Amino acid sequence: MFDFYAHSSESADKSGWQPLLEHLNNVARRAEEFAEVFGAGSWGRCAGLLHDAGKATQAFTARLEGSPARVDHSTFGARLARDRLGRLGLLISYVIVGHHGGLPDGGVQEGELHFRLKNGKIPPDVDLLPGIEFPGELPPPFKLPRDRTAFSLAFFTRMVFSCLVDADFLDTEAFCTPEKARLRTQPDGAVLLGSLQQRLNEFLLEKTRSAPPTPVNTLRQAILAQCRDKARLPRGFFSLTVPTGGGKTFSSLAFALDHAVAHGLRRIIYAIPFTSIIEQNAREFQKALGEDSVLEHHCNYKESEDAEDEAYHRRRGLAAENWDAPVVVTTNVQFFESLFSNKTSRCRKLHNIAGSVIVLDEAQAIPTEYLEACLAALRELVERYGCTVVLCTATQPALDDQSSLRMALPQVQEIMDDPQRLYQGLQRTAVRFVGKLCDEDLTAQLVGELQVLCIVSTRAHARALFEKARQALGETEGLYHLSTNMYPVHRRRVLDEIRARLKEKPPCRVISTSLVEAGVDLDFPVVYRAMAGLDSIAQAAGRCNREGRLSHKGRVVVFEALNPPRMPWVRRCASRAGETLRALPDADPLGLEAMRRYFHLLYDAEDLDKKQILSLLNPKLDQDLIWPFRETARLFRFIEDETIGVIIPIEPQARALVQELRYTQFPRTTLRKLQQYTVGVRSREYAALGAAGALELIHGEFPLLCNEAAYRPEVGLCAEGGEVWNPEDLCI
């Protein structure tokens, strides 16, 4: 019999090559183990046995020996799945065809699954290796919902796809780069969570001992106690409604850990809308649980330059590939876009979400145009993949089955016994609406305060107010600007300086965009907020008298700009807030009644499936089982590509990375590090910088600011400043 191989090595006599049958069995075993978590072990095993079955041909062996001829090695296994595994065998066909290039669209057009199954050219001598056995039919491992049968099957296909691609990657890695594979070894997740629970207990006990006995800290302890008490409840959907400053970060972590240990769950996943919160929460979690136990996964992650941290960063990079870590802190973008992706790199982690506690911090921040699809995915995870979901926020959106949402979450249990009383107990601000206010009058009020935070809706408005305040004060000492025109490292440095000033109590006036509203632990006696949605106003109020140190309530002043922003979303939110306040004139504008009414109005007025994701994934099924996986992934984008990242090479670390970028063979790795020194600009600003000659395109595609005069230390990147050069930069 001719010997077939999956992977080659340096050995000329093939003695060190990996036999194909060994690879198929290894992948099948891993994929079966992964899929067994959600009751689909036989599906994972079949996918593993068939994914590379088409390599059993002399043509593929010749390719391993150096032949340039390409060999279609996936269509053969996909056809076997269709023909031998019953009607749902086509699900495995999708998985096999996509295990390198991503899940394809179903259909009969060129490149689509059904076209490939009919017209794919496979070598004539290929045959199923002896010893490979699989069942004649694969039934679904759970009862399918009537109202979204197709969506549920499409979701299941993506989960089986995840099991296969991760198993394939891991076995290939074990053969080709065993030293890398050894770094992945770690204890069983459930055992590890038990030890992390003990660490957290000790950390929280010490934190309680050192906290001053203030009314706020007393309430925080009560919140923590309720979270730990409710952790024994059965798995499902929970809400945690805790006002800003109530300590919900560690209370939610305690609930998640206790709940996971009580129910034998495998990991905890925090999905957070803003990187500022991710960085802060991840640091706090690492203090409590240890650095190696918490995976921080987002595009702005900053690696330490310390050589002693190199091994940690290597392990972290491996864990980020498939979320093989007990606690994962990530973005809403990464979490939800992965659930609707077709790419191997994005989907690889999905099977590790099964059997997890998923905490959605600032749950109200899910974009409304994708809300129904996101809720449908969360329902799948809870109802069929053994997850618990916690909606954690101070401004709880109306997502439960008491709302009119088509995909409302069933039986959401509130963890707090009396959220209204809790809100009243932690109320530390008084909100006043003052109507329209011109920039000149607003500036006069801001400079009249010793310590004040002003939050507006656009970068242009923030910069204009900063310039007016500087003119009025005649200096910038104690005056700060914050916006995404500043690269992340710069923003963090300014925030650290602001925190230091607030503690020392000299003048501190900050003009910012909404980036400070969630998770940034600033504490001002006075906050001004441009009119916005009630949830945004509540977040702004969370930066006012945050620790309750004032003898009186902090002041939150909400004003309307004379020239409100043109962004439709901001206008809609402000409009619904106005409707709510008119409908409930006597209610607390940030209270639970007003907040629920606001979200009801917002969701009623919005298209909650704007890209028709549910329609695409939940069609009326026929025997061909056609889903547009690739098209769905293209459409499901939380952040549209409206900005272009420009590298700002002002700091020595940034300059060193730019030099690395010029010469590296792996630019994407360096670009991830450069995210810390990058500013996103809109196309019009980008064009202005380019026309002024202020940009260089490294390798013809990576924009670098070559005129550093266009970046000002007070306000960041100024597109119109690209035409003005520092004379020293022009000297040859």
Side-chain angles (χ1 to χ4, degrees):
M1 173 185 165
F2 194 85
D3 292 326
F4 297 109
Y5 301 92
H7 302 105
S8 61
S9 69
E10 299 295 327
S11 58
D13 63 354
K14 299 186 178 66
S15 60
W17 289 24
Q18 184 182 32
L20 176 58
L21 189 58
E22 175 186 298
H23 175 64
L24 295 179
N25 281 318
N26 288 350
V27 173
R29 185 171 59 253
R30 285 183 188 265
E32 180 178 23
E33 177 186 336
F34 295 157
E36 195 57 53
V37 174
F38 49 94
S42 58
W43 287 79
R45 179 167 182 78
C46 284
L49 289 174
L50 294 177
H51 81 289
D52 276 353
K55 289 183 177 181
T57 168
Q58 295 188 40
F60 188 80
T61 302
R63 181 162 177 78
L64 291 178
E65 292 169 341
S67 169
R70 297 186 64 84
V71 180
D72 178 350
H73 72 271
S74 61
T75 300
F76 175 65
R79 284 182 183 171
L80 287 175
R82 178 198 62 187
D83 296 340
R84 299 193 187 184
L85 296 177
R87 180 182 176 221
L88 295 184
L90 272 171
L91 275 59
I92 298 291
S93 299
Y94 276 105
V95 168
I96 293 172
V97 165
H99 80 275
H100 283 307
L103 285 170
D105 286 342
V108 296
Q109 301 299 314
E110 188 171 358
E112 295 177 339
L113 175 69
H114 298 75
F115 179 91
R116 286 191 58 177
L117 290 175
K118 181 178 180 181
N119 302 296
K121 295 181 179 179
I122 58 176
D125 63 331
V126 68
D127 199 3
L128 187 64
L129 289 176
I132 293 182
E133 297 180 1
F134 45 88
E137 187 169 353
L138 285 175
F142 40 68
K143 185 177 180 180
L144 294 167
R146 287 185 178 182
D147 60 335
R148 56 185 195 283
T149 299
F151 182 88
S152 191
L153 284 174
F155 196 94
F156 176 67
T157 302
R158 200 179 278 105
M159 292 295 277
V160 176
F161 177 65
S162 170
C163 296
L164 173 63
V165 295
D166 195 28
D168 192 23
F169 271 117
L170 290 172
D171 188 63
T172 301
E173 178 183 270
F175 175 77
C176 297
T177 53
E179 68 285 352
K180 182 178 176 183
R182 282 192 290 271
L183 285 173
R184 294 186 185 272
T185 305
Q186 61 176 316
D188 176 72
V191 174
L192 193 55
L193 287 183
S195 64
L196 294 186
Q197 184 186 40
Q198 183 59 38
R199 284 191 199 175
L200 182 64
N201 291 342
E202 295 169 1
F203 177 85
L204 292 176
L205 183 61
E206 181 58 35
K207 194 175 178 71
T208 301
R209 285 173 180 162
S210 60
T214 64
V216 169
N217 283 331
T218 300
L219 276 172
R220 287 171 178 166
Q221 288 304 309
I223 291 167
L224 175 62
Q226 286 188 46
C227 283
R228 307 207 81 161
D229 181 59
K230 299 291 179 63
R232 295 189 294 271
L233 290 172
R235 289 179 292 183
F237 287 105
F238 292 87
S239 59
L240 177 58
T241 308
V242 174
T244 300
K248 69 177 183 294
T249 298
F250 277 114
S251 293
S252 63
L253 177 62
F255 173 88
L257 260 177
D258 290 356
H259 187 79
V261 171
H263 296 285
L265 302 184
R266 304 189 302 159
R267 60 181 44 80
I268 296 159
I269 298 170
Y270 268 79
I272 300 174
F274 314 110
T275 54
S276 58
I277 314 179
I278 291 173
E279 293 162 350
Q280 181 172 293
N281 282 14
R283 283 195 302 271
E284 293 300 309
F285 291 168
Q286 287 170 348
K287 288 178 190 175
L289 305 177
E291 189 177 54
D292 284 334
S293 300
V294 180
L295 168 65
E296 183 182 351
H297 187 199
H298 58 92
C299 65
N300 279 346
Y301 177 78
K302 186 177 188 298
E303 291 189 0
S304 164
E305 300 296 328
D306 193 332
E308 293 183 1
D309 292 334
E310 182 179 351
Y312 165 75
H313 290 307
R314 289 187 66 191
R315 289 194 300 274
R316 180 206 161 273
L318 294 174
E321 293 175 355
N322 61 357
W323 283 3
D324 190 9
V327 179
V328 178
V329 185
T330 189
T331 62
N332 279 2
V333 172
Q334 181 69 236
F335 180 78
F336 283 110
E337 287 190 2
S338 294
L339 290 174
F340 290 90
S341 181
N342 74 313
K343 296 184 180 299
T344 57
S345 57
R346 274 284 178 94
C347 290
R348 183 178 171 185
K349 67 178 81 72
L350 296 184
H351 71 90
N352 275 330
I353 296 176
S356 297
V357 181
I358 301 163
V359 181
L360 298 179
D361 201 3
E362 305 301 342
Q364 79 286 350
I366 298 173
T368 54
E369 58 264 43
Y370 298 102
L371 185 61
E372 286 189 340
C374 291
L375 296 183
L378 292 175
R379 290 186 64 170
E380 289 297 316
L381 289 170
V382 169
E383 293 169 3
R384 274 167 275 286
Y385 297 90
C387 294
T388 280
V389 169
V390 182
L391 308 173
C392 183
T393 178
T395 54
Q396 200 64 241
L399 303 179
D400 56 27
D401 49 15
Q402 300 302 307
S403 72
S404 59
L405 295 176
R406 180 169 54 146
M407 284 293 133
L409 303 180
Q411 299 178 319
V412 179
Q413 304 175 78
E414 173 57 49
I415 295 173
M416 292 294 101
D417 291 335
D418 191 346
Q420 180 62 37
R421 188 169 65 86
L422 185 61
Y423 169 77
Q424 292 169 347
L426 281 169
Q427 191 175 28
R428 303 178 298 280
T429 62
V431 182
R432 183 164 61 99
F433 292 81
V434 298
K436 291 190 178 296
L437 204 58
C438 68
D439 284 359
E440 288 72 18
D441 291 343
L442 175 59
T443 302
Q445 293 187 31
L446 295 178
V447 300
E449 302 284 352
L450 189 64
Q451 292 187 336
V452 62
L453 169 64
C454 178
I455 304 173
V456 294
S457 299
T458 68
R459 293 186 288 185
H461 196 190
R463 182 178 161 195
L465 283 175
F466 175 84
E467 300 292 359
K468 288 181 183 296
R470 182 169 67 168
Q471 290 174 6
L473 291 166
E475 60 178 1
T476 58
E477 180 70 20
L479 177 64
Y480 299 94
H481 163 277
L482 284 168
S483 80
T484 52
N485 278 339
M486 305 155 73
Y487 54 85
V489 169
H490 185 187
R491 290 201 304 269
R492 282 198 294 270
R493 191 179 299 121
V494 172
L495 281 167
D496 288 342
E497 189 173 335
I498 291 169
R499 291 187 185 103
R501 273 193 170 268
L502 288 171
K503 287 180 181 179
E504 296 165 8
K505 301 193 184 308
C508 184
R509 304 175 180 94
V510 179
I511 299 171
S512 175
T513 59
S514 60
L515 67 86
V516 301
E517 282 185 344
V520 179
D521 54 346
L522 300 177
D523 190 356
F524 284 85
V526 182
V527 171
Y528 279 69
R529 183 45 163 111
M531 186 63 184
L534 289 188
D535 55 330
S536 295
I537 295 171
Q539 292 287 2
R543 311 314 118 194
C544 182
N545 195 21
R546 184 179 179 86
E547 296 298 325
R549 296 190 180 101
L550 298 177
S551 59
H552 54 278
K553 287 185 176 181
R555 287 190 292 124
V556 177
V557 180
V558 181
F559 63 92
E560 296 179 43
L562 289 185
N563 297 305
R566 287 177 287 182
M567 297 103 76
W569 169 246
V570 175
R571 285 176 174 262
R572 277 197 297 273
C573 290
S575 172
R576 302 303 174 254
E579 288 181 46
T580 301
L581 297 176
R582 288 190 294 274
L584 301 171
D586 298 324
D588 182 337
L590 304 185
L592 302 187
E593 180 188 11
M595 203 61 66
R596 188 166 183 89
R597 178 65 175 266
Y598 164 73
F599 279 111
H600 271 301
L601 290 172
L602 185 65
Y603 294 157
D604 281 348
E606 284 293 298
D607 185 347
L608 305 181
D609 188 20
K610 188 174 182 179
K611 301 289 185 69
Q612 298 296 300
I613 303 296
L614 277 181
S615 298
L616 289 170
L617 293 177
N618 198 37
K620 184 177 180 180
L621 288 178
D622 57 22
Q623 63 181 2
D624 290 326
L625 300 178
I626 293 177
W627 289 284
F629 287 109
R630 189 182 300 274
E631 175 68 4
T632 300
R634 184 185 68 81
L635 292 172
F636 195 96
R637 303 287 297 277
F638 270 16
I639 302 175
E640 304 290 350
D641 292 330
E642 295 179 356
T643 62
I644 303 165
V646 174
I647 301 164
I648 313 296
I650 292 175
E651 302 195 27
Q653 297 92 329
R655 291 195 182 102
L657 288 169
V658 167
Q659 284 300 102
E660 181 182 308
L661 182 64
R662 293 185 189 279
Y663 301 107
T664 182
Q665 295 181 356
F666 307 102
R668 300 294 168 185
T669 300
T670 307
L671 280 173
R672 282 196 293 271
K673 298 177 183 178
L674 277 167
Q675 288 281 352
Q676 291 292 306
Y677 305 96
T678 298
V679 171
V681 300
R682 298 193 180 278
S683 55
R684 184 170 59 184
E685 297 167 320
Y686 183 81
L689 289 167
L695 297 177
E696 174 195 352
L697 287 180
I698 299 177
H699 302 310
E701 59 176 325
F702 308 128
L704 173 77
L705 185 70
C706 56
N707 178 11
E708 294 183 8
Y711 193 93
R712 291 169 47 194
E714 300 91 356
V715 295
L717 183 63
C718 304
E720 76 282 1
E723 297 179 355
V724 180
W725 290 74
N726 185 330
E728 293 180 2
D729 294 337
L730 299 175
C731 296
I732 298 177

